[in-house]
């Protein structure tokens, strides 16, 4: 008796790559280790790296015919993603970043959820991980509600259902093309903006917390500052473009930073009684923000684990994330991202 054959959609993994010699091979290995029964390909959008990444890419391509690359000379992530997708062959597209590793079963579960929900785009949960020391502190900040854990796809508190955006993203290619792909005028926030357009078109964006992705965050202080500053600049640009259609939580870091600056500037004048009553009242209200934030940092340090040095490092990382992001946001809103100093091109 003949056995009925069921067709399984082919999957195209797309990945922007720039200066990722330390992480790329593990990221690709996590893709190739997936137990997905359909055809797969890996398309790397390769920027002009300076750390030996190109040689690694050449070796990966030579070892597996499913891997190929497309040039991304301008280094912008959205342009690279669009180029990789344009060269891809299959109806389902899975974005993967070079700083990530997919959990076993990620692809199979993702495609099943895409079919089950009818979503245009879906994502899973980021689980940050880091080597001992600074990177581990950054990872804990990513996973903590005191750091980035308030986002739907950070940490272990996510609930399956419709979502505002999708971390990395598994897309139906036809619907991706329908809304015009990634906005190439952006350098950061391109995933949120794409999912915004999908939702505006009446399409469903979905979060499945069973989809797990390990993420390796920045491993030095300066790279962390540059990353969060650049991300804040481009979020400010999106606020310029979309206004109040951005979630309120994005405004918390810049408001905190403004309150902190006002407090520092006005405190000496207040101490010597040099402020009129109305300005003294403003100084008092402004000081409430930094005081509340200081209390939050103390709570964060107490709730963290490890030695005193580990806890202090964690608190400093959380503050660095928030204040760098807030400073970038204000610059992006006031000047626009294209006129601001952008440091987002050093890594993919």
């Amino acid at each position: 008796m003949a056995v009925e054959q069921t067709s399984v959609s082919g999957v195209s993994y797309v990945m922007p790559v720039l200066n990722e010699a330390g992480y790329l091979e593990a990221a690709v290995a996590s893709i190739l280790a997936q137990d997905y029964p359909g055809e797969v390909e890996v398309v790397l959008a390769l920027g002009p790296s300076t750390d030996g990444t190109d040689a690694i890419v050449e070796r990966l391509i030579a070892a597996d015919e499913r891997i190929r690359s497309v040039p991304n000379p301008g280094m912008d992530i959205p342009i690279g993603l669009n180029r990789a997708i344009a060269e891809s062959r299959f109806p389902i597209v899975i974005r993967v970043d070079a700083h990530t590793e997919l959990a076993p079963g990620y692809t199979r579960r993702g495609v099943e959820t895409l079919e089950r929900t009818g979503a245009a785009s879906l994502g899973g949960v980021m689980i940050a991980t880091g080597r001992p020391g600074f990177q581990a502190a950054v990872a804990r900040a990513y996973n903590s509600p005191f750091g980035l854990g308030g986002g739907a796809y950070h940490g272990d508190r996510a609930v399956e259902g419709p979502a505002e955006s999708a971390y990395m993203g598994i897309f139906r290619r036809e619907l991706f093309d329908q809304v015009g792909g990634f906005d190439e005028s952006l350098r950061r926030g391109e995933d949120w903006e794409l999912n915004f357009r999908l939702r505006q078109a009446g399409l469903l964006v979905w979060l499945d917390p069973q989809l797990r992705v390990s993420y390796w965050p920045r491993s030095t202080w300066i790279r962390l500052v540059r990353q969060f500053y650049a991300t804040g600049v481009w979020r400010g640009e999106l606020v310029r473009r979309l206004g109040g259609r951005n979630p309120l939580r994005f405004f918390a870091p810049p408001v905190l930073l403004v309150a902190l600056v006002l407090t520092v500037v006005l405190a000496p004048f207040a101490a010597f009684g040099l402020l009129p009553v109305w300005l003294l009242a403003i100084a008092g209200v402004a000081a409430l923000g930094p005081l509340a934030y200081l209390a939050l940092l103390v709570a964060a340090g107490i709730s963290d684990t490890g030695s005193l040095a580990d806890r202090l490092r964690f608190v400093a990382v959380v503050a660095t994330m928030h204040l760098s992001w807030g400073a970038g946001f204000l610059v992006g809103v006031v000047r626009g991202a294209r006129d601001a100093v952008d440091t987002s091109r050093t890594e993919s």
Side-chain angles (χ1 to χ4, degrees):
M1 183 175 64
V3 177
E4 182 181 353
Q5 298 293 321
T6 57
S7 62
V8 178
S9 297
V11 167
S12 298
Y13 300 91
V14 296
M15 181 192 298
V17 177
L18 178 67
N19 291 326
E20 295 291 1
Y23 298 95
L24 177 60
E25 289 182 278
V28 172
S30 77
I31 293 172
L32 300 180
Q34 295 292 301
D35 63 350
Y36 187 67
E39 291 186 274
V40 301
E41 64 176 354
V42 182
V43 186
L44 307 176
L46 185 58
S49 298
T50 58
D51 66 346
T53 294
D54 289 11
I56 295 173
V57 170
E58 290 176 5
R59 186 168 70 249
L60 291 171
I61 292 174
D64 196 313
E65 63 181 8
R66 294 171 295 178
I67 305 172
R68 52 201 172 91
S69 68
V70 296
N72 183 29
M75 298 183 285
D76 288 344
I77 290 174
I79 295 175
L81 287 169
N82 284 342
R83 288 188 173 194
I85 293 169
E87 293 295 322
S88 66
R89 299 184 292 129
F90 296 125
I92 295 177
V93 175
I94 299 181
R95 173 180 175 172
V96 186
D97 287 340
H99 267 249
T100 63
E101 296 174 30
L102 304 182
Y106 178 92
T107 303
R108 183 188 292 268
R109 170 75 185 188
V111 174
E112 290 173 353
T113 302
L114 205 65
E115 298 297 332
R116 170 171 56 88
T117 62
S121 166
L122 75 95
V125 176
M126 172 204 286
I127 304 298
T129 186
R131 300 180 179 95
F134 180 80
Q135 193 179 43
V138 178
R140 295 199 305 277
Y142 266 88
N143 296 331
S144 168
F146 294 105
L148 298 185
Y153 57 79
H154 293 286
D156 295 317
R157 294 162 297 278
V159 177
E160 182 170 10
E164 170 191 309
S165 187
Y167 174 55
M168 292 206 302
I170 301 176
F171 308 102
R172 296 181 187 275
R173 169 68 179 274
E174 61 180 347
L175 298 178
F176 175 89
D177 292 340
Q178 178 181 313
V179 298
F182 289 102
D183 185 339
E184 296 187 356
S185 68
L186 298 172
R187 289 186 192 162
R188 295 293 179 100
E190 72 285 341
D191 48 356
W192 186 92
E193 193 276 339
L194 171 67
N195 284 286
F196 172 81
R197 280 186 284 122
L198 288 169
R199 290 187 287 109
Q200 290 293 105
L203 300 171
L204 180 63
V205 178
W206 194 264
L207 169 65
D208 182 353
Q210 290 196 40
L211 299 175
R212 317 281 283 188
V213 181
S214 296
Y215 171 75
W216 293 91
R218 300 303 188 257
S219 57
T220 67
W221 217 295
I222 187 62
R223 287 184 175 182
L224 183 70
V225 170
R226 290 166 66 181
Q227 178 193 15
F228 274 78
Y229 175 81
T231 302
V233 166
W234 286 95
R235 175 54 58 180
E237 174 67 24
L238 285 173
V239 167
R240 283 168 59 96
R241 298 184 188 189
L242 303 176
R245 290 178 288 182
N246 287 267
L248 287 176
R249 69 177 184 277
F250 291 137
F251 295 87
V255 168
L256 167 67
L257 183 60
V258 169
L260 180 61
V261 170
L262 282 174
T263 299
V264 171
V265 170
L266 296 178
F269 296 96
F272 289 99
L274 301 177
L275 296 180
V277 173
W278 66 271
L279 195 52
L280 185 63
I282 291 176
V285 172
L288 294 177
L291 289 173
Y293 187 67
L294 179 61
L296 181 144
L297 291 178
V298 171
I302 292 173
S303 69
D304 194 34
T305 57
S307 66
L308 177 60
D310 288 334
R311 293 168 187 258
L312 291 174
R313 190 182 294 116
F314 170 72
V315 168
V317 164
V318 169
T320 298
M321 286 178 168
H322 293 162
L323 296 178
S324 299
W325 199 98
F329 180 98
L330 292 172
V331 171
V333 167
V334 173
R335 297 180 57 189
R338 287 291 174 183
D339 293 329
V341 176
D342 178 34
T343 57
S344 64
R345 291 185 170 189
T346 57
E347 296 174 281
S348 63

